[in-house]
Structure formats: structure tokens, C-alpha cells
Amino acid sequence: MENFNYYAPTRVVFGKGTELRTGELVRECGCRKVLVHYGSGSVKKSGLLDRICEALENAGVEYVSLGGVVPNPRLSLVYEGIALCKKESVDFILAVGGGSVIDSAKAIGYGVANEGDVWDFYARKRKAEGCLPLGVVLTIAAAGSEMSDSSVITNEEGWIKRGYSSNYVRPKFAVMNPELTMTLPAYQTESGCVDIMMHTMERYLNQADNMELTDGFSEHLIRTVMRNAKILLEHPRDYDARAEVMWAGSLSHNGLTGCGTDGGDWASHQLEHELGGMYDVAHGAGLAAVWGSWARYVMDARPERFARFAVRVMGVEETKDPLETAEKGIEAMEEFYRSIEMPTNLKELGIEPTEEEIRELARKCSFDGGRTIGCVKKLDQEDIYQIYMQAR
Amino acid sequence: MENFNYYAPTRVVFGKGTELRTGELVRECGCRKVLVHYGSGSVKKSGLLDRICEALENAGVEYVSLGGVVPNPRLSLVYEGIALCKKESVDFILAVGGGSVIDSAKAIGYGVANEGDVWDFYARKRKAEGCLPLGVVLTIAAAGSEMSDSSVITNEEGWIKRGYSSNYVRPKFAVMNPELTMTLPAYQTESGCVDIMMHTMERYLNQADNMELTDGFSEHLIRTVMRNAKILLEHPRDYDARAEVMWAGSLSHNGLTGCGTDGGDWASHQLEHELGGMYDVAHGAGLAAVWGSWARYVMDARPERFARFAVRVMGVEETKDPLETAEKGIEAMEEFYRSIEMPTNLKELGIEPTEEEIRELARKCSFDGGRTIGCVKKLDQEDIYQIYMQAR
């Protein structure tokens, strides 16, 4: 098993009515002025934003607001947020929303705390040396950004989606009331469930001799999300199912399911990032659309691991040939994806890229051939092209 | 399911050779002078203390040392540590050892950061308002104090063992090299395994409608510790088994297995605290000695929960009568305790209190009849007396 670091300092306040504690939580962070950052009008319409602002006022905390974050959050709004924070001397960012809003808040935080262009970090030109402190009121269970060290931003110049990770952006607190996710449309709910599962699957399907403790946690987490994703398709207002999925979302990406592993594969995420950047698809749905093709392309490099996944997570009966078991596990997962109305290829995702466009996706995903992605099998530009082609 | 808070900010640095990073970790905490706190001579003999001190020197960190912590750590040494820290203007405590050393360090930290007698907090006379920052180099997998909010101290005046919890004492970092635990005698290793299991069992056997996610994590954690406790009895130098147990120890008491529960029962811990205070027994062994009697005394208040434990953790076949299943689960756990050479009653623990002494234990455990313990069944002084009697 590998040495590892684990660091998940976010204070989680979980359950019904917890959003009313936001004011006191911000005040305890000792800040003077807050940027309240959010997405579309849904948090306005629902009255959540008003409740949050009232909680801030009751706690004697000053704030300014910036809405307009979209899925696959954009660099232009990040720049706007940075300028606003500097003008208003903001020293704390409160993200009210899902992964896109939190990631946008993280990028703004980097931009305020560091000189120069914030995109440099995402373009891997240099490293950040700090970030404004952040807090979260979570409204979508999916990205796990409320406890994670990562953020993903899309640069409209070239429609490039890139992630950057550092411990500076781990939120100080995360308020999680599962009731706030109940009105989410089914497609977004299920897309979120796939994202949550994939954060653990990326870590689980790897090249390491894993810890027994971590493997069992991971298997249980994925199975729990699958079971509750099905419940939510029929009963979107089931509090317990919403709560299971919401807490799984945080634990799936806060590092817990990576302990003792080699860090995981993450090729599926890289493959999806190009789709998200170019076609603006829902992240979880994009992951579901490429995962099967990726898994079949790499499984012969680690057949026992894929076979274990098939048996322990998908409930497939073990056969003598691990590759056969592995293939059955992949089929079972694709069947599950279909059962929760998620795509298993690009066409079902709603996009039909030409061969030329797929060459372009592969070129961008491999940084013009300058990098490989994944660890189960290291994938170069040609491998990436093949996987996209098989995913059509 | 219950609302919950989760806060486990400790930076974990886990694996081979990690103790060499102690200097840089302390320096990153921005402190000026460290108290290196430790127990018996074993960390001296092994050379660990020298390596740690060298790492501090290399990082340019000043330090003073205080050894002599014993199991069931004592208030008199805590007072000595407080005086030393004040005299030397210490602003960070580094605990090199197991739960006793860490708990002693936490108590010293309280004493330096708060006016008045530190025992007041443990006697529940008032609340602490801070603590010196702490770091840990862990040498015993058991108490989970390296990530927990709790510490337990024994006051020699009356031999009273009391715990006090607050987020102030969560360590800033925990260095965990499983190799450092390899030379631990079998009795201490297995006693530690029981302690780890019990931290999750106390949370699991409760009165709440638990989360599925938490229940599965808990069941897997307990089973993993059981499997590896058996391995370590035969192969004390098995790195992977040491690592599984060590990481389980932290996760079992950092709050993870309590999420969505009512906080847990903790009566077994209170019952053991009196034994530890009066007879100075090993904590985990003491827990094993009282657990069966406690479980039989309370199981009819929550038969389905005990039956689930029997089936999912102990692998007992389910019968129609949950109480029958529950009883079989308790028997299976006692059998497991015996298999790892742990006691299942007070006699096997090595103590034979008279009836009068048991009355005294019950009196102290119930704070002279002023409190009940436990939540599965609220136990008063007479209940406590009965459980101790049955545990003889």
C-alpha cells in the first residue's frame, strides 16, 4: 500500500434547517466583508438567498453579491468576481450553490490572493500561494467541491476546461441541508449521482495494492449512491435518500476513498473535461457517456481489479476469467446508467461529433500530444482518439 | 436520521518514514518553541525520540522535553507540564506516543491556554476556551486521540478517571508510520484493537435511525480491525495489518462513524473509566471485559439493532427472534475477544473486586447517583452495579 496524506479540514454542518446557521459560521471565521456568490435565479426564487442574506445581517456581517454562475463555470465571471472583491475589500467568499458556484468561488479566491492572471494556475504555468477563505451552502449533491481541494474552470477563449487543485481552497465550512436539493430536476440529480460515484471509481480502479479499509469504504459508498439514485428517480423528495447522496458526495471527493491508493486514474475526468468545454454537457452525464469505452480500453492492464469491482460493487458472479468478469461488470454499470436515464455513449449524451471533431478533442485532451492521461493505462493522443471514437 | 456536525481538521501524514517530516510539519504551524511529550523509555530506546529531535533541529525548531506519561495518564504530570510550558514559553506541544501521551498533551495544552485549575474541565465545573496547538507522532494504534476531540485524565486524588472533549484539542497534524507500532507487545496491540472497535461500536449500537452510509462504513471498519487483529497475533510485524489497524483507529474516533447517529451510547466507556481509574487496567482490555455484560443488560431496548450487528458484523445467521440473534452476536464477539486473548469479564481482566468495591465503582460511575450513563438504556447507579456484578 502507498503512503498517503489526508487533509479534510472543512467543518460540516449537516441536516435540516442548517442554512440558518450560516451567519454565525461566517462570523466565526473572523472576516469583515463577504462576497455571496451564486448561480441562476433558482436560489433567489426559492427564497434561499434571502434566508442566507438575513442570516448574515443577523450576525452583523457585511456582504456584496455576485450571481450568474453557469454549469461549466466561466473565466469571464471569475475575472468579474476578482475585480468586485478587490473594489469592495472582500475577505471571505460564500458560495451558495453546487460545484460550479463553489469552483467559481475558489477561482475568485485564488485571483484575489495572488498577483497576475488567475488562469495561469489552471493552465499549469505557475502555482498559487494562497486563496481567500471560503464557505459553502450546498444546493446540489455532485461535485464534492464543498470539501475538496479542486476547482474546474472553463476558459471561453478556445472553450478549454481545466482543473487546478491545492489545499488552500478547502472550504472553512460547508452547510448541507438535503432539503435544499429536493427540487433539483431528475437529470441533474442523476448526473450528480454519477459524478459522486465516479470520484470514488477513479480512485478505486487504479494500479496500486490498495488498503482493505479504503476498498470496503469505496465499495459501500458506490453501492449506497446507486441504491439511492434509483430511489430518487421515483421519489425526488425522499429526505433520507437525498441525505445519503449528499454526504456520499462530500466523502467521495474529500480524499477518504483515496487513502493508501496511488491517487487514482482520472482519465475519464480528463476525457469529460474536453466534452464539457466544447459542448457544455452536464459533467456527470458526460462521465457516464465515456466511462464504458474507457473501461473496456484499459481493463486488460488490470483485469483482477476490474473483476473485483464487478463482483463487489456490481454484484456480478465471478467467472474463472477475470477479463470476462470485468466485462460483465462494465455491462452491469452501463445497464445501471440506463436505468437512471444516464447516457452510455456520446449519442445518448446528445452530441454527435465528426471524426474531425474527435481528433480535435483528442488533441486538446492530450495538450497537443504533450501529456498522457490515466494510470491504469497511460493514454496518449491516439489512445484518447480511439476511446472517444468507441464512445460515439 | 439525525442532523450532525463533522469536523476532523487534522493533517494526516501516513506511511513509512513519515516521522522524518515532523520538523517541517511543526515549522509550518508557525510556532516558536515546542514541548516534546512522551511516555516510558521505549521511544528513547528505539531511537525514535532522537530522530524526532533531530528532525526538529534540522527544521530550526527549539524544544524542551517531558517524558514519564503512564497508561491512564495522570494529573500530576499534567500540572508539571503546564508549569514547564509556562516557564519555557512553549507555544506548541508535540506528543510522541499513544493515546495516553496525546491525552496528557491535550490536558497540558488546556492548562496553558486557560486560567485556573485544568481539572475543572474534566470535573465538568467549567468549559475550556482554547488550547495550545498540538501535533502527534503516533506509536500505538488504539485511542484515536490523534484526530479526536477527546482526552481522558486520571486524578490520583481519589483515582478518578474523567474525559473532556472540545474541538480545541484536535491535533494540527498526525504523523502515522505503522512500522513504529511493530514492536508493541501482543497484549497492548490487541487491547488497542478492542479500543478501536469499541469507538465505532459505541456509536453504532444506539437509539437512532442511522444513515446507511455510516452503518456500512462502521460494519466494514469493525470487520477489518477484527481480521487484522487476528493476523497481528501471529504476525506482529505485518506492515499492511499494522497499517489497516492504525488508520482504522483514527477513522473510528474522528467522528466519521458517528455521522447521522445520535452520538452513540458510551456506557461501556464510562464503566471502563472507573476500572481504569481504580485498578489501572489497559483501556481496551477493560472495555472487552465489561462489553458483554453491558450488551446483555441493554439489548432488549433495541433488539433489531443488536441483531443487525450480529448478522452484518459477526456473521451470525439471522433467526426469527431478534433477541436470539442479538444474543448469538454477543456470544460471537466474546468468542472473538477470547481468540485474540482479551478478557470477557473482570476476573479474566485480572481483578476480583468485592461486592463492596463494586458498590463503590457504581457510586463513582454514577457521580454519586447524580447522572445516568448510556442511551440504548439510560443506566442509573443500580443498573451500573448490576452490570459490574454480572461482569465479575
Side-chain angles (χ1 to χ4, degrees):
Chain A
M1 106 190 28
E2 307 286 324
N3 282 8
F4 65 88
N5 296 317
Y6 176 75
Y7 181 55
T10 305
R11 185 184 299 267
V12 172
V13 181
F14 193 103
K16 293 174 187 173
T18 47
E19 68 273 20
L20 301 176
R21 292 182 52 195
T22 309
E24 80 190 67
L25 287 164
V26 171
R27 199 178 47 199
E28 281 168 17
C29 292
C31 63
R32 289 188 321 271
K33 192 159 187 183
V34 174
L35 173 70
V36 179
H37 198 38
Y38 60 96
S40 68
S42 67
V43 294
K44 274 190 172 171
K45 260 183 279 171
S46 71
L48 175 63
L49 206 63
D50 285 344
R51 292 210 298 289
I52 300 293
C53 291
E54 202 187 315
L56 291 174
E57 282 160 19
N58 290 343
V61 175
E62 274 190 82
Y63 63 90
V64 290
S65 303
L66 179 66
V69 181
V70 294
N72 298 313
R74 296 183 186 174
L75 186 58
S76 56
L77 190 72
V78 169
Y79 288 145
E80 200 179 315
I82 295 168
L84 180 61
C85 286
K86 286 183 175 172
K87 180 173 155 249
E88 298 281 346
S89 300
V90 161
D91 58 4
F92 190 91
I93 307 178
L94 181 67
V96 181
S100 298
V101 174
I102 305 168
D103 284 10
S104 183
K106 287 175 173 177
I108 293 170
Y110 279 133
V112 176
N114 296 274
E115 295 294 317
D117 186 355
V118 71
W119 183 251
D120 287 353
F121 308 130
Y122 296 86
R124 293 169 199 215
K125 285 188 190 161
R126 57 194 179 101
K127 287 189 173 180
E129 285 167 4
C131 182
L132 275 199
L134 309 157
V136 173
V137 178
L138 191 64
T139 63
I140 302 176
S145 192
E146 66 278 6
M147 286 188 90
S148 83
D149 65 349
S150 67
S151 80
V152 183
I153 296 294
T154 295
N155 187 340
E156 298 99 314
E157 211 168 281
W159 296 104
I160 300 168
K161 184 175 173 181
R162 291 283 177 270
Y164 182 68
S165 299
S166 86
N167 279 325
Y168 298 122
V169 296
R170 302 233 188 221
K172 300 298 170 203
F173 65 80
V175 168
M176 298 193 219
N177 178 355
E179 292 177 318
L180 300 182
T181 68
M182 283 183 178
T183 51
L184 211 61
Y187 188 80
Q188 268 180 274
T189 297
E190 303 302 333
S191 178
C193 288
V194 175
D195 194 13
I196 293 167
M197 292 162 58
M198 281 295 299
H199 285 150
T200 290
M201 285 157 68
E202 294 273 25
R203 291 171 165 95
Y204 182 91
L205 295 167
N206 62 17
Q207 276 292 1
D209 292 323
N210 287 2
M211 288 187 93
E212 197 179 334
L213 201 57
T214 299
D215 273 352
F217 284 167
S218 299
E219 289 155 2
H220 177 64
L221 187 147
I222 300 167
R223 286 192 311 259
T224 302
V225 175
M226 288 172 69
R227 192 155 44 232
N228 288 287
K230 283 197 166 188
I231 293 173
L232 289 175
L233 201 64
E234 300 297 316
H235 307 286
R237 301 191 68 87
D238 183 314
Y239 178 83
D240 286 355
R242 288 283 180 191
E244 299 284 355
V245 166
M246 195 174 216
W247 188 218
S250 303
L251 296 181
S252 193
H253 206 31
N254 79 354
L256 181 71
T257 61
C259 293
T261 72
D262 55 10
D265 185 87
W266 300 101
S268 300
H269 264 77
Q270 308 296 351
L271 293 166
E272 194 288 324
H273 279 184
E274 299 316 318
L275 298 175
M278 276 175 72
Y279 301 98
D280 209 18
V281 296
H283 176 53
L287 288 169
V290 298
W291 183 78
S293 302
W294 166 80
R296 286 195 181 88
Y297 196 85
V298 305
M299 68 176 175
D300 62 346
R302 195 88 156 95
E304 295 77 13
R305 191 80 192 150
F306 277 84
R308 179 182 166 132
F309 177 79
V311 174
R312 305 259 184 128
V313 178
M314 303 312 300
V316 162
E317 206 171 319
E318 197 160 10
T319 61
K320 269 189 192 164
D321 177 9
L323 269 179
E324 191 187 326
T325 314
E327 170 60 31
K328 283 187 181 166
I330 296 167
E331 282 165 19
M333 183 54 89
E334 287 176 330
E335 199 176 311
F336 167 76
Y337 284 153
R338 281 188 291 266
S339 80
I340 58 165
E341 299 171 8
M342 282 287 111
T344 59
N345 57 47
L346 300 185
K347 199 171 177 183
E348 290 171 14
L349 181 63
I351 60 174
E352 297 188 50
T354 62
E355 205 183 317
E356 201 40 53
E357 285 167 338
I358 283 192
R359 287 220 179 273
E360 172 71 2
L361 283 166
R363 187 187 64 71
K364 284 165 83 175
C365 188
S366 68
F367 290 9
D368 290 312
R371 70 160 179 181
T372 62
I373 61 170
C375 82
V376 173
K377 208 180 256 185
K378 285 188 198 305
L379 305 168
D380 63 18
Q381 189 170 347
E382 177 60 22
D383 296 316
I384 294 168
Y385 169 80
Q386 292 295 342
I387 293 173
Y388 278 131
M389 284 299 285
Q390 285 168 28
R392 286 214 293 182
Chain B
M1 106 188 31
E2 307 286 325
N3 282 8
F4 65 87
N5 296 317
Y6 176 75
Y7 181 55
T10 305
R11 186 184 298 268
V12 172
V13 181
F14 193 103
K16 293 174 186 171
T18 47
E19 69 273 20
L20 300 177
R21 292 182 51 194
T22 309
E24 80 191 66
L25 287 164
V26 171
R27 199 178 48 197
E28 281 168 16
C29 292
C31 64
R32 290 187 320 271
K33 193 159 187 184
V34 174
L35 172 70
V36 179
H37 198 37
Y38 61 96
S40 66
S42 66
V43 293
K44 274 190 171 171
K45 261 184 277 170
S46 71
L48 174 64
L49 205 64
D50 286 343
R51 291 209 300 287
I52 300 292
C53 291
E54 202 185 316
L56 291 174
E57 283 159 20
N58 290 343
V61 174
E62 274 190 83
Y63 63 89
V64 290
S65 305
L66 178 66
V69 182
V70 294
N72 298 313
R74 298 184 184 172
L75 186 59
S76 56
L77 191 72
V78 169
Y79 288 145
E80 200 180 314
I82 295 167
L84 180 61
C85 285
K86 287 183 174 170
K87 179 172 158 253
E88 297 281 345
S89 301
V90 161
D91 57 4
F92 190 92
I93 307 178
L94 180 66
V96 182
S100 299
V101 174
I102 304 168
D103 284 8
S104 183
K106 287 175 174 179
I108 293 170
Y110 279 134
V112 176
N114 297 274
E115 295 295 315
D117 187 355
V118 72
W119 184 250
D120 288 353
F121 308 128
Y122 296 86
R124 294 171 196 212
K125 284 189 191 162
R126 57 193 178 102
K127 287 188 174 181
E129 285 168 3
C131 182
L132 275 200
L134 309 157
V136 173
V137 178
L138 191 64
T139 63
I140 302 176
S145 193
E146 66 277 7
M147 286 189 90
S148 84
D149 65 349
S150 67
S151 78
V152 183
I153 295 293
T154 296
N155 187 340
E156 297 100 313
E157 212 169 280
W159 295 104
I160 300 169
K161 184 175 174 180
R162 291 284 176 268
Y164 182 68
S165 298
S166 86
N167 279 324
Y168 298 122
V169 297
R170 303 236 187 217
K172 300 298 169 200
F173 65 80
V175 168
M176 299 192 217
N177 178 355
E179 292 178 318
L180 300 181
T181 69
M182 283 184 179
T183 51
L184 212 61
Y187 188 80
Q188 267 180 278
T189 296
E190 303 303 332
S191 177
C193 288
V194 174
D195 194 14
I196 293 167
M197 291 163 58
M198 281 296 297
H199 286 150
T200 289
M201 285 157 68
E202 295 273 26
R203 291 173 166 94
Y204 182 92
L205 295 167
N206 63 17
Q207 276 292 1
D209 293 322
N210 288 2
M211 290 187 92
E212 196 180 335
L213 202 57
T214 299
D215 273 352
F217 285 167
S218 299
E219 290 156 2
H220 176 63
L221 188 147
I222 301 167
R223 286 193 309 261
T224 302
V225 175
M226 289 172 68
R227 192 155 43 233
N228 288 287
K230 284 197 165 187
I231 293 172
L232 289 174
L233 201 64
E234 300 297 316
H235 306 286
R237 301 192 68 85
D238 183 313
Y239 179 84
D240 286 354
R242 288 283 180 191
E244 299 284 356
V245 167
M246 194 174 216
W247 187 218
S250 303
L251 296 181
S252 193
H253 206 30
N254 79 354
L256 181 71
T257 61
C259 293
T261 72
D262 55 11
D265 186 87
W266 300 101
S268 300
H269 265 77
Q270 307 297 352
L271 293 167
E272 193 288 326
H273 280 183
E274 299 316 319
L275 298 176
M278 277 175 72
Y279 301 99
D280 209 19
V281 296
H283 176 53
L287 289 169
V290 298
W291 183 79
S293 301
W294 166 81
R296 286 195 182 86
Y297 196 86
V298 305
M299 67 176 175
D300 63 346
R302 194 89 155 94
E304 294 77 13
R305 191 81 192 146
F306 278 84
R308 178 181 167 131
F309 177 79
V311 174
R312 305 261 183 126
V313 178
M314 303 312 300
V316 162
E317 207 171 321
E318 198 159 8
T319 62
K320 271 189 192 163
D321 178 8
L323 269 179
E324 191 187 326
T325 314
E327 170 61 31
K328 281 187 181 165
I330 296 167
E331 283 165 20
M333 183 54 88
E334 288 176 329
E335 198 175 311
F336 167 76
Y337 284 153
R338 282 189 290 267
S339 80
I340 58 165
E341 298 171 9
M342 282 286 111
T344 59
N345 57 48
L346 300 185
K347 198 171 178 183
E348 288 171 14
L349 181 63
I351 60 174
E352 297 188 50
T354 62
E355 205 182 315
E356 201 41 52
E357 285 166 336
I358 283 193
R359 286 218 179 276
E360 171 71 1
L361 284 166
R363 186 186 65 71
K364 284 164 83 174
C365 188
S366 67
F367 289 9
D368 290 312
R371 70 159 178 182
T372 62
I373 61 170
C375 82
V376 172
K377 207 180 257 186
K378 286 190 196 306
L379 305 169
D380 64 17
Q381 189 170 347
E382 177 61 21
D383 296 316
I384 294 168
Y385 168 80
Q386 292 296 341
I387 293 172
Y388 279 131
M389 284 300 284
Q390 285 168 28
R392 286 211 295 183

